[in-house]
Amino acid sequence: MDNRTVLVAEHIDKRFGITHAVNDVSLTVSAGEIRGLIGENGSGKSTFCQMLCGIYSIGGGTFTLDGEELSIRNQVDANNAGIAIIVQEMGTLSGLTVAENIYLGHEGPFMHKGIKDTRAMNREAQRLLDEYGFGRIKAGVMIDHYNFEDRKLVEIVKATYMKPKILVIDETTTALSQNGRLELYKIMDAVRADGRTVIFISHDLGEVLAHTDKVSVLRDGEYIDTVVSSEVTEDDLKRLMVGREIGSAYYRTDFGQPVSDETVLSVRNVTVNGELEDVSFDLHKGEILGFGGLSECGMHEIGKAVFGASWNREGTVTLADGTEINDIPTAIKKSIAYASKDRDNESIILNESIRNNVVLPSLEDLSNHGLLNGRKMTRFANEQAKNMQTKMQNVNQFVSDLSGGNKQKVVLARWLGKGSQILVLDSPTRGIDVKVKQAIYALMAELKEQGRSIIMISEEIPELLGMSDRILVMKDGRINGEFQRDPDLNEETLIAKMV
């Protein structure tokens, strides 16, 4: 890292209605630096970076890059100025090929007399993919063919192939497996070694300290401090983020308590072509059953299979009363909830209000003789959102305006309002800050005490160890190990069954 200032943010400000998302933030970033940017959900860090990258207009203040004040109207302007972003959620467009996504907005070199040279574009995109080590992704294939993680890898290529002066990475690691994360870290290091700059947003504080030079902290939209990564601890960062000490009792502290023998759901010989093979297990009343494994192990398909969302599933999912779950309406009617890892695309409707999202599975319960009562729906949504302590203007606010943690609260409010007794939670704390994560763990423990049952699918081994009564480890679409809750159970034991 050299000491040359590359980016200056002066008095940056942004409001969304009555919400002051970014409040007079000023900071400087050096060339050849990886700068961490952290804060609770709703602290303003993503909004700050999205103004820099042209996703949002700047409400007030100025950004200066290499001594020149920026005038950015959109992402193409930002790219042309030398600024690129990899966002937390899906940043590729369906209906386009991999190559078309990589060169979106920059098709000029492949245009001749108004006609696109698709073969040349595919050839160059494939060269880039091979160069990055992502050669298994094919440039001419539709992006929809690839899973969430592979689409993230395409975004990494798209954001970095032009060698931007500033690369913003907004919680991207939450969508990646360990191997994907290692590839991203290599790219971050290469950007720094080339004298360019990375702004790295993550809720994984260990990851932030390990892969940054300095860390800047925002709280409630305001700038708090910038610290040298090698001189602080995770606890120091937590204090700066929330303004007080956060208790260390993240996870459950109970061990040795027996789980009920009562089976609430039985999965038998479930196979999903290319994903799961002959999977069988039981879920008990008041149990938190954890599923873990490496990328592509099949664990994420478990949630969809249980919720009746796998169209090509074989085998059976049966409730204690004998009901077979083969479709989503039956699952909802029989009190099963599902929160997907891909929150923005599968768990919520972004361009709808909090109210309409919360009431969705409960419409039948809230109607009178088939007619919906608006006041009743608003009252219900208010009650559920407030129970989850959702940070919002009101329930008419669009979900798209919320932070990742508050979006997840809306998802949980929806299912808790429905009174769901079996909750399938896939990556329940993905992209969520330390305080909200602690609140969700406390909620899960409370639901367990109420006798509700939870299937928790997680890529985070500490989360599996800390919250599960029982852990099933997946490998190559099969269950490869089963472990009971035990204070002596460690990460190495689980990893040995994953690889």
Side-chain angles (χ1 to χ4, degrees), residues 362-377:
S362 302
L363 290 176
E364 188 175 334
D365 305 325
L366 295 170
S367 65
N368 294 318
H369 305 294
L371 297 176
L372 291 173
N373 184 308
R375 288 184 179 179
K376 193 174 183 180
M377 291 165 62

Coordinates of all heavy atoms in Angstrom, one line a residue, residues 362-377:
S362 N -50.7 -15.9 4.6 CA -51.8 -15.9 5.5 C -53.0 -15.2 4.9 O -54.0 -14.9 5.7 CB -51.4 -15.1 6.8 OG -50.2 -15.7 7.4
L363 N -53.1 -15.1 3.6 CA -54.2 -14.4 3.0 C -55.5 -15.1 3.3 O -56.6 -14.4 3.6 CB -54.0 -14.3 1.5 CG -52.9 -13.3 1.0 CD1 -52.7 -13.4 -0.5 CD2 -53.2 -11.9 1.5
E364 N -55.5 -16.4 3.3 CA -56.8 -17.1 3.5 C -57.2 -16.9 5.0 O -58.4 -16.7 5.2 CB -56.5 -18.6 3.3 CG -57.8 -19.5 3.4 CD -57.6 -20.9 3.0 OE1 -56.6 -21.2 2.3 OE2 -58.3 -21.8 3.5
D365 N -56.3 -16.8 5.9 CA -56.6 -16.5 7.3 C -57.1 -15.1 7.5 O -57.9 -14.9 8.5 CB -55.4 -16.8 8.2 CG -54.8 -18.2 8.0 OD1 -55.6 -19.1 7.7 OD2 -53.6 -18.3 8.0
L366 N -56.7 -14.2 6.7 CA -57.0 -12.8 6.9 C -58.3 -12.3 6.1 O -58.7 -11.2 6.2 CB -55.8 -11.9 6.5 CG -54.6 -12.1 7.3 CD1 -53.4 -11.3 6.7 CD2 -54.8 -11.6 8.8
S367 N -58.8 -13.2 5.3 CA -60.0 -12.8 4.5 C -61.3 -13.2 5.2 O -61.4 -14.0 6.0 CB -59.9 -13.6 3.1 OG -60.1 -15.0 3.3
N368 N -62.3 -12.5 4.8 CA -63.7 -12.7 5.3 C -64.5 -13.1 4.1 O -64.8 -12.3 3.2 CB -64.3 -11.5 6.0 CG -63.5 -11.1 7.2 OD1 -63.1 -12.0 8.0 ND2 -63.2 -9.8 7.4
H369 N -64.9 -14.4 4.0 CA -65.7 -14.9 2.9 C -65.1 -14.6 1.6 O -65.7 -14.2 0.6 CB -67.1 -14.3 3.0 CG -67.8 -14.5 4.3 ND1 -68.2 -15.7 4.8 CD2 -68.2 -13.6 5.3 CE1 -68.8 -15.6 5.9 NE2 -68.8 -14.3 6.3
G370 N -63.8 -14.8 1.5 CA -63.0 -14.6 0.3 C -62.6 -13.2 0.0 O -62.0 -12.9 -1.0
L371 N -63.0 -12.2 0.8 CA -62.7 -10.8 0.6 C -61.6 -10.4 1.6 O -61.7 -10.6 2.8 CB -63.9 -9.9 0.8 CG -65.1 -10.2 -0.2 CD1 -66.3 -9.3 0.2 CD2 -64.6 -9.9 -1.6
L372 N -60.6 -9.7 1.1 CA -59.5 -9.2 1.9 C -59.8 -7.9 2.6 O -60.4 -7.0 1.9 CB -58.2 -9.1 1.1 CG -57.6 -10.4 0.6 CD1 -56.5 -10.1 -0.4 CD2 -57.1 -11.3 1.7
N373 N -59.4 -7.8 3.8 CA -59.6 -6.6 4.6 C -58.3 -5.8 4.7 O -57.4 -6.3 5.4 CB -60.2 -6.9 6.0 CG -60.6 -5.7 6.8 OD1 -59.8 -4.8 6.9 ND2 -61.8 -5.7 7.3
G374 N -58.2 -4.7 4.1 CA -56.9 -3.9 4.1 C -56.4 -3.6 5.5 O -55.3 -3.7 5.8
R375 N -57.4 -3.1 6.3 CA -57.0 -2.7 7.7 C -56.5 -3.9 8.5 O -55.5 -3.8 9.2 CB -58.2 -2.1 8.4 CG -58.5 -0.7 7.9 CD -59.6 -0.1 8.7 NE -60.0 1.2 8.2 CZ -60.9 2.0 8.8 NH1 -61.7 1.5 9.8 NH2 -61.2 3.2 8.3
K376 N -57.1 -5.0 8.3 CA -56.7 -6.2 9.0 C -55.4 -6.7 8.5 O -54.5 -7.1 9.3 CB -57.8 -7.3 8.7 CG -57.7 -8.6 9.6 CD -58.8 -9.5 9.3 CE -58.8 -10.7 10.3 NZ -59.9 -11.6 10.0
M377 N -55.1 -6.6 7.2 CA -53.8 -7.0 6.7 C -52.7 -6.0 7.2 O -51.6 -6.5 7.6 CB -53.8 -6.9 5.2 CG -54.7 -8.0 4.5 SD -55.0 -7.7 2.8 CE -53.4 -7.7 2.1

